[in-house]
Amino acid sequence: CERGNEWAAALSLLAELLEKAVLGVTTGNAAISAAESAEQWQVALAILTEMDRSNLQLDLISFNSEISACGKGRRWRMALALLREARTRSLGEDRIGVNVGISASGTTGGWELSVALLQAMPDARLVPDATSFGSAISTCAK
């Protein structure tokens, strides 16, 4: 379905399998990741929504994959909302998600927000790495 660009059919099949409890969170995460790789943020969001509706226990991988998809789709507000949602669900946050948030917020020239996310990492007990700093620096250069 991915190669043929048959996203609607793939989503319908995924929804049916989720409803029947045939698929778990790992398969759903793989589907989100596939949509993210194909730069289909809307499809990735639909999968995440369907997983949540099917009462699957979403995890940080679920959210990080969708945050990345939103970043590639230049939907930085949605990416940041997903970071907040992960916190609200007590999933916490990890460096991967924050790094993607830093990159995503910079896609539209939001360097101030990127720097703020970087500066807030220690408050969340996250240690910035080379990707964190590189992403923030890159957004400042835009």
Side-chain angles (χ1 to χ4, degrees):
C1 290
E2 180 180 343
R3 285 195 182 125
N5 222 7
E6 299 290 334
W7 290 106
L11 275 179
S12 177
L13 177 61
L14 182 65
E16 183 179 329
L17 293 172
L18 285 170
E19 283 180 20
K20 293 178 180 178
V22 174
L23 301 179
V25 70
T26 303
T27 306
N29 288 346
I32 293 171
S33 185
E36 180 259 334
S37 294
E39 297 185 11
Q40 298 288 326
W41 71 269
Q42 302 98 324
V43 173
L45 183 60
I47 295 167
L48 183 76
T49 301
E50 187 61 37
M51 289 170 63
D52 195 35
R53 191 183 70 70
S54 297
N55 295 317
L56 286 180
Q57 187 67 40
L58 301 178
D59 58 19
L60 275 176
I61 296 170
S62 311
F63 282 93
N64 287 348
S65 297
E66 179 58 32
I67 290 166
S68 181
C70 288
K72 286 183 178 179
R74 301 177 61 90
R75 300 292 188 252
W76 63 272
R77 284 188 179 105
M78 173 128 359
L80 296 177
L82 288 163
L83 272 174
R84 283 190 299 273
E85 179 68 19
R87 268 187 243 134
T88 300
R89 292 177 182 233
S90 299
L91 296 176
E93 57 191 346
D94 65 359
R95 186 172 40 219
I96 294 168
V98 175
N99 285 348
V100 172
I102 290 169
S103 294
S105 61
T107 60
T108 56
W111 66 268
E112 297 96 340
L113 186 52
S114 294
V115 171
L117 286 170
L118 177 67
Q119 290 174 329
M121 287 180 79
D123 294 337
R125 297 185 183 171
L126 299 174
V127 178
D129 62 4
T131 302
S132 311
F133 289 109
S135 296
I137 289 167
S138 176
T139 63
C140 291
K142 292 181 182 179

